[in-house]
Amino acid sequence: MKTLNTYLLLLLTGFFISAASTALAENYVDGSSRPNPSSVSGIDASDSIVFELSQSIIQMNIAEFPVYFVSDDSINAVDFSFKFDQLNFQFDTIIRLFPSLQITYYYNVSDSTLRFTSNCLQTIPSNTSIIKIRFTSLTGQTCVPDLTDITTYLNGDVSSSRVVSCVANDVSELDAIENKVEIYPNPAVDYLNVKAKEDFKFTISNALGEIVIPETTLLKDQSTTLETGKYSNGVYFFQIVGKGFTLTKKIMIGR
Protein backbone atom coordinates (compact mmCIF):
# COMPACT_ATOMS: atom_id res chain seq x y z
CA MET A 1 0.00 0.00 0.00
CA LYS A 2 2.86 2.36 0.89
CA THR A 3 4.42 1.77 -2.53
CA LEU A 4 1.11 2.52 -4.26
CA ASN A 5 0.68 5.77 -2.33
CA THR A 6 4.21 6.83 -3.23
CA TYR A 7 3.54 6.12 -6.91
CA LEU A 8 0.32 8.14 -6.85
CA LEU A 9 2.11 11.05 -5.14
CA LEU A 10 4.85 11.08 -7.78
CA LEU A 11 2.26 10.91 -10.56
CA LEU A 12 0.33 13.90 -9.18
CA THR A 13 3.56 15.84 -8.63
CA GLY A 14 4.55 15.27 -12.25
CA PHE A 15 1.14 16.44 -13.41
CA PHE A 16 1.38 19.72 -11.49
CA ILE A 17 4.92 20.35 -12.67
CA SER A 18 3.81 19.79 -16.25
CA ALA A 19 0.86 22.13 -15.82
CA ALA A 20 3.06 24.80 -14.26
CA SER A 21 5.57 24.52 -17.10
CA THR A 22 2.79 24.95 -19.66
CA ALA A 23 1.53 28.04 -17.84
CA LEU A 24 5.00 29.57 -17.80
CA ALA A 25 5.42 28.84 -21.50
CA GLU A 26 2.14 30.61 -22.28
CA ASN A 27 2.77 33.64 -20.07
CA TYR A 28 5.54 36.08 -19.31
CA VAL A 29 7.06 36.25 -15.81
CA ASP A 30 4.74 39.13 -14.88
CA GLY A 31 1.73 36.95 -15.71
CA SER A 32 0.78 38.70 -18.95
CA SER A 33 -0.10 36.50 -21.89
CA ARG A 34 2.67 35.44 -24.26
CA PRO A 35 1.58 35.70 -27.93
CA ASN A 36 0.64 32.45 -29.56
CA PRO A 37 3.00 31.87 -32.53
CA SER A 38 0.17 30.37 -34.54
CA SER A 39 -1.85 33.57 -34.14
CA VAL A 40 0.96 35.92 -35.22
CA SER A 41 0.73 36.88 -38.90
CA GLY A 42 3.69 35.58 -40.88
CA ILE A 43 5.58 36.87 -43.90
CA ASP A 44 3.67 36.34 -47.15
CA ALA A 45 3.43 37.73 -50.68
CA SER A 46 2.12 41.06 -49.41
CA ASP A 47 5.38 41.62 -47.54
CA SER A 48 7.92 42.89 -50.06
CA ILE A 49 11.42 44.32 -50.34
CA VAL A 50 11.52 47.15 -52.88
CA PHE A 51 14.55 48.11 -54.98
CA GLU A 52 13.69 51.68 -55.95
CA LEU A 53 15.62 52.19 -59.17
CA SER A 54 13.30 55.06 -60.11
CA GLN A 55 15.02 57.08 -57.37
CA SER A 56 18.51 56.23 -58.55
CA ILE A 57 21.03 59.05 -58.42
CA ILE A 58 23.71 59.20 -61.10
CA GLN A 59 26.67 61.52 -60.65
CA MET A 60 29.75 61.21 -62.84
CA ASN A 61 30.61 57.49 -62.60
CA ILE A 62 28.71 56.85 -59.35
CA ALA A 63 25.20 55.32 -59.33
CA GLU A 64 23.15 54.57 -56.21
CA PHE A 65 19.56 53.69 -55.37
CA PRO A 66 17.55 53.18 -52.15
CA VAL A 67 16.03 49.96 -50.77
CA TYR A 68 13.05 49.68 -48.43
CA PHE A 69 10.34 47.16 -47.54
CA VAL A 70 6.57 47.13 -47.22
CA SER A 71 5.07 44.99 -44.47
CA ASP A 72 2.34 45.03 -41.82
CA ASP A 73 4.52 42.87 -39.53
CA SER A 74 7.16 44.01 -37.04
CA ILE A 75 10.40 43.53 -38.94
CA ASN A 76 13.80 43.13 -37.27
CA ALA A 77 15.81 41.53 -40.08
CA VAL A 78 16.10 42.23 -43.82
CA ASP A 79 18.12 39.98 -46.15
CA PHE A 80 18.48 39.72 -49.90
CA SER A 81 20.71 38.70 -52.78
CA PHE A 82 20.74 39.55 -56.48
CA LYS A 83 22.89 39.57 -59.60
CA PHE A 84 23.72 42.39 -62.02
CA ASP A 85 25.76 42.91 -65.18
CA GLN A 86 29.44 43.16 -64.20
CA LEU A 87 30.34 44.49 -67.66
CA ASN A 88 28.36 47.67 -67.06
CA PHE A 89 28.67 48.18 -63.31
CA GLN A 90 30.95 47.33 -60.41
CA PHE A 91 29.63 47.07 -56.86
CA ASP A 92 30.99 49.82 -54.62
CA THR A 93 29.36 49.82 -51.19
CA ILE A 94 26.09 49.78 -49.23
CA ILE A 95 25.20 52.91 -47.26
CA ARG A 96 23.21 52.46 -44.04
CA LEU A 97 20.38 54.99 -43.72
CA PHE A 98 18.75 53.60 -40.54
CA PRO A 99 21.34 54.12 -37.76
CA SER A 100 20.28 51.21 -35.52
CA LEU A 101 20.51 48.68 -38.35
CA GLN A 102 23.45 46.26 -38.17
CA ILE A 103 24.47 45.23 -41.69
CA THR A 104 26.81 42.80 -43.41
CA TYR A 105 27.24 42.39 -47.16
CA TYR A 106 29.47 40.57 -49.61
CA TYR A 107 29.83 40.62 -53.38
CA ASN A 108 31.02 37.31 -54.82
CA VAL A 109 32.75 37.90 -58.16
CA SER A 110 32.66 34.21 -59.07
CA ASP A 111 28.85 34.05 -59.22
CA SER A 112 28.19 37.81 -59.73
CA THR A 113 25.95 37.88 -56.67
CA LEU A 114 25.60 40.58 -54.03
CA ARG A 115 24.46 39.21 -50.65
CA PHE A 116 23.14 41.41 -47.86
CA THR A 117 22.02 40.55 -44.33
CA SER A 118 20.93 42.76 -41.44
CA ASN A 119 19.34 42.76 -38.02
CA CYS A 120 18.10 45.30 -35.52
CA LEU A 121 17.07 45.19 -31.85
CA GLN A 122 14.25 47.63 -32.56
CA THR A 123 11.57 47.48 -35.21
CA ILE A 124 12.83 48.59 -38.63
CA PRO A 125 10.47 51.18 -40.18
CA SER A 126 8.40 50.12 -43.17
CA ASN A 127 8.06 52.28 -46.31
CA THR A 128 11.29 54.09 -45.40
CA SER A 129 14.61 53.76 -47.21
CA ILE A 130 16.94 51.80 -44.92
CA ILE A 131 20.00 51.51 -47.18
CA LYS A 132 21.41 52.75 -50.47
CA ILE A 133 23.34 50.49 -52.84
CA ARG A 134 26.16 52.22 -54.66
CA PHE A 135 27.82 51.13 -57.92
CA THR A 136 30.60 52.45 -60.12
CA SER A 137 29.41 52.82 -63.70
CA LEU A 138 31.72 51.50 -66.38
CA THR A 139 29.68 52.65 -69.37
CA GLY A 140 28.53 56.15 -68.52
CA GLN A 141 24.87 55.12 -68.75
CA THR A 142 22.33 57.20 -66.86
CA CYS A 143 20.50 54.28 -65.30
CA VAL A 144 21.46 51.35 -63.06
CA PRO A 145 20.89 47.93 -64.65
CA ASP A 146 17.96 45.66 -64.06
CA LEU A 147 18.51 43.25 -61.19
CA THR A 148 18.22 39.50 -61.71
CA ASP A 149 17.94 36.33 -59.61
CA ILE A 150 16.53 38.27 -56.67
CA THR A 151 15.95 36.44 -53.38
CA THR A 152 14.50 38.33 -50.41
CA TYR A 153 13.75 37.57 -46.74
CA LEU A 154 12.03 39.44 -43.92
CA ASN A 155 12.60 38.13 -40.39
CA GLY A 156 14.28 35.11 -41.99
CA ASP A 157 11.17 34.13 -43.99
CA VAL A 158 10.92 34.33 -47.78
CA SER A 159 9.18 37.51 -48.93
CA SER A 160 8.26 38.93 -52.30
CA SER A 161 10.37 41.55 -54.07
CA ARG A 162 9.71 44.45 -56.40
CA VAL A 163 12.01 46.41 -58.69
CA VAL A 164 10.73 49.86 -59.60
CA SER A 165 12.22 50.59 -63.02
CA CYS A 166 14.46 53.60 -63.40
CA VAL A 167 13.74 56.38 -65.84
CA ALA A 168 16.61 57.53 -68.06
CA ASN A 169 16.94 61.27 -68.51
CA ASP A 170 18.02 63.01 -71.71
CA VAL A 171 19.87 65.64 -69.67
CA SER A 172 22.84 64.33 -67.72
CA GLU A 173 22.87 64.63 -63.95
CA LEU A 174 25.97 66.78 -64.22
CA ASP A 175 24.27 69.35 -66.45
CA ALA A 176 21.15 69.25 -64.26
CA ILE A 177 22.98 70.01 -61.03
CA GLU A 178 25.01 72.80 -62.62
CA ASN A 179 21.70 74.50 -63.43
CA LYS A 180 20.68 74.36 -59.76
CA VAL A 181 23.81 75.17 -57.76
CA GLU A 182 27.35 76.50 -58.04
CA ILE A 183 29.92 74.73 -55.82
CA TYR A 184 33.58 75.78 -55.63
CA PRO A 185 36.44 75.14 -55.20
CA ASN A 186 36.33 71.43 -55.94
CA PRO A 187 38.54 69.86 -54.64
CA ALA A 188 38.06 71.90 -51.47
CA VAL A 189 40.79 72.50 -48.91
CA ASP A 190 39.65 74.70 -46.03
CA TYR A 191 36.29 75.93 -47.32
CA LEU A 192 33.56 75.25 -49.87
CA ASN A 193 31.35 77.94 -51.40
CA VAL A 194 27.74 77.07 -52.28
CA LYS A 195 25.56 79.41 -54.34
CA ALA A 196 21.93 78.52 -55.08
CA LYS A 197 20.44 79.10 -58.51
CA GLU A 198 17.08 77.75 -57.28
CA ASP A 199 15.49 77.13 -53.88
CA PHE A 200 16.65 73.85 -52.32
CA LYS A 201 17.84 72.04 -49.21
CA PHE A 202 21.19 70.28 -49.10
CA THR A 203 23.19 67.82 -47.03
CA ILE A 204 26.75 66.53 -47.35
CA SER A 205 27.63 62.92 -46.54
CA ASN A 206 30.89 60.99 -46.55
CA ALA A 207 31.64 57.79 -48.47
CA LEU A 208 30.06 55.72 -45.67
CA GLY A 209 26.77 57.57 -46.02
CA GLU A 210 27.20 59.44 -42.72
CA ILE A 211 25.83 62.99 -42.75
CA VAL A 212 28.71 65.40 -41.98
CA ILE A 213 26.84 68.63 -42.74
CA PRO A 214 23.15 68.52 -41.72
CA GLU A 215 20.25 69.73 -43.84
CA THR A 216 20.58 73.38 -44.77
CA THR A 217 18.14 75.54 -46.74
CA LEU A 218 19.24 77.99 -49.43
CA LEU A 219 16.92 80.23 -51.43
CA LYS A 220 17.61 81.34 -54.98
CA ASP A 221 20.67 83.63 -55.23
CA GLN A 222 21.66 82.94 -51.62
CA SER A 223 25.12 81.60 -50.85
CA THR A 224 27.02 80.13 -47.93
CA THR A 225 30.59 79.16 -47.12
CA LEU A 226 31.27 75.82 -45.42
CA GLU A 227 34.40 75.10 -43.39
CA THR A 228 35.89 71.83 -44.67
CA GLY A 229 39.30 71.91 -42.99
CA LYS A 230 38.09 69.75 -40.09
CA TYR A 231 37.03 66.88 -42.36
CA SER A 232 39.23 64.03 -43.51
CA ASN A 233 40.54 63.95 -47.07
CA GLY A 234 38.37 61.96 -49.43
CA VAL A 235 35.18 61.79 -51.48
CA TYR A 236 31.97 63.40 -50.21
CA PHE A 237 28.48 63.62 -51.69
CA PHE A 238 26.60 66.91 -51.91
CA GLN A 239 22.88 66.19 -52.26
CA ILE A 240 20.29 68.87 -53.02
CA VAL A 241 16.53 68.41 -52.80
CA GLY A 242 14.24 70.97 -54.38
CA LYS A 243 10.77 71.19 -55.85
CA GLY A 244 10.54 68.22 -58.20
CA PHE A 245 14.22 67.25 -58.18
CA THR A 246 16.88 65.44 -56.15
CA LEU A 247 20.47 65.62 -57.36
CA THR A 248 23.88 64.61 -56.05
CA LYS A 249 27.31 66.00 -56.84
CA LYS A 250 30.58 64.33 -55.84
CA ILE A 251 33.04 66.67 -54.17
CA MET A 252 36.59 66.13 -52.98
CA ILE A 253 38.29 67.38 -49.84
CA GLY A 254 42.07 67.25 -49.99
CA ARG A 255 45.16 69.08 -48.77
Side-chain angles (χ1 to χ4, degrees):
M1 178 65 70
K2 184 176 181 180
T3 301
L4 179 59
N5 288 339
T6 300
Y7 174 76
L8 290 175
L9 179 61
L10 291 173
L11 184 64
L12 289 173
T13 300
F15 171 78
F16 285 117
I17 291 175
S18 176
S21 299
T22 301
L24 286 174
E26 293 177 351
N27 296 277
Y28 291 107
V29 176
D30 63 3
S32 60
S33 298
R34 188 184 299 272
N36 183 350
S38 63
S39 65
V40 177
S41 59
I43 304 301
D44 54 31
S46 65
D47 303 292
S48 185
I49 295 178
V50 182
F51 301 90
E52 188 66 74
L53 303 191
S54 66
Q55 294 184 21
S56 61
I57 295 174
I58 313 296
Q59 179 57 44
M60 298 180 70
N61 64 334
I62 300 297
E64 63 184 36
F65 63 88
V67 178
Y68 63 94
F69 66 86
V70 178
S71 177
D72 56 1
D73 295 284
S74 294
I75 302 299
N76 298 93
V78 177
D79 307 283
F80 62 78
S81 65
F82 63 78
K83 294 184 178 182
F84 62 92
D85 189 350
Q86 295 183 92
L87 297 178
N88 293 330
F89 288 83
Q90 289 181 347
F91 172 68
D92 187 328
T93 189
I94 291 181
I95 303 167
R96 182 180 59 186
L97 301 179
F98 185 55
S100 301
L101 190 68
Q102 302 298 313
I103 68 173
T104 302
Y105 54 88
Y106 174 68
Y107 176 63
N108 190 337
V109 178
S110 63
D111 64 2
S112 307
T113 300
L114 175 63
R115 294 175 173 87
F116 172 87
T117 184
S118 68
N119 64 81
C120 190
L121 294 179
Q122 65 188 78
T123 300
I124 307 170
S126 178
N127 285 295
T128 301
S129 298
I130 58 173
I131 61 169
K132 281 187 177 180
I133 303 178
R134 180 177 293 169
F135 293 90
T136 298
S137 172
L138 303 178
T139 63
Q141 296 177 0
T142 58
C143 190
V144 293
D146 291 336
L147 311 182
T148 61
D149 298 326
I150 300 174
T151 304
T152 53
Y153 301 87
L154 292 171
N155 289 347
D157 294 326
V158 175
S159 69
S160 63
S161 63
R162 183 160 56 94
V163 179
V164 181
S165 296
C166 50
V167 178
N169 297 315
D170 293 331
V171 180
S172 71
E173 292 289 334
L174 182 59
D175 290 339
I177 199 167
E178 294 297 337
N179 291 330
K180 311 294 184 185
V181 62
E182 184 178 354
I183 305 172
Y184 64 93
N186 188 14
V189 180
D190 296 316
Y191 62 90
L192 184 71
N193 294 313
V194 181
K195 182 177 180 180
K197 299 180 180 179
E198 290 192 23
D199 299 351
F200 59 74
K201 297 179 180 180
F202 74 87
T203 58
I204 296 181
S205 60
N206 60 22
L208 298 177
E210 300 166 336
I211 302 296
V212 297
I213 296 182
E215 185 175 87
T216 304
T217 299
L218 282 182
L219 302 180
K220 184 178 180 180
D221 296 328
Q222 284 186 337
S223 61
T224 186
T225 298
L226 307 173
E227 295 184 4
T228 57
K230 60 183 176 180
Y231 300 112
S232 302
N233 293 351
V235 177
Y236 292 78
F237 293 89
F238 185 100
Q239 183 178 66
I240 64 173
V241 178
K243 187 175 181 180
F245 64 88
T246 299
L247 298 167
T248 298
K249 181 177 179 66
K250 185 168 69 173
I251 59 176
M252 297 289 297
I253 295 178
R255 296 166 187 84

